[in-house]
Amino acid sequence: YAPSAAFAYAPSAAFAPSAAFAGSTASRVGVPQPTSSEPMRRRVVRDVVGQTNGELSLRKDQVVLLLHDPDTGHQSNLQRWVYGRNEESGEEGWFDLADTVPQESPGGEQ
């Protein structure tokens, strides 16, 4: 039995980066980064209800900071789980990258 490719399992909270590691650039090697040292910001495109303890629940148009991408070598695959922080609530957890798009800054950069 092989699960559908459209369904992806979120990583367990046990795989979340430690506080010391989450802020390091080592967790984001290969991920396109803004010119500053700030984490990548992404805008949520649809409401998402977290299904497990380690997943973020998000509302459309909220902004999340991408803190850790365990699949840094697979930028073309948007169907992957990444770890981030909801800017509005401050909660951290896993979310599906496909539920977000790059956040445009006022200057037109990400």
Side-chain angles (χ1 to χ4, degrees):
Y1 169 76
S4 166
F7 183 76
Y9 293 97
S12 162
F15 294 103
S18 70
F21 184 71
S24 79
T25 56
S27 67
R28 297 183 300 272
V29 172
V31 175
Q33 292 296 305
T35 54
S36 71
S37 62
E38 294 296 314
M40 184 182 297
R41 297 175 58 173
R42 298 191 60 93
R43 185 176 51 82
V44 179
V45 296
R46 66 182 128 281
D47 290 347
V48 177
V49 177
Q51 300 295 310
T52 65
N53 189 20
E55 292 180 32
L56 283 177
S57 291
L58 302 167
R59 289 189 317 275
K60 184 178 180 184
D61 293 326
Q62 284 185 319
V63 175
V64 290
L65 299 176
L66 179 63
L67 301 176
H68 176 67
D69 183 351
D71 293 329
T72 57
H74 304 286
Q75 269 50 319
S76 62
N77 178 15
L78 292 178
Q79 296 291 330
R80 66 184 194 270
W81 288 85
V82 294
Y83 191 83
R85 179 183 310 121
N86 181 326
E87 279 194 338
E88 185 178 303
S89 69
E91 291 182 87
E92 291 187 9
W94 295 97
F95 64 96
D96 190 339
L97 193 63
D99 292 328
T100 64
V101 294
Q103 171 69 27
E104 297 278 334
S105 68
E109 296 179 20
Q110 294 181 22

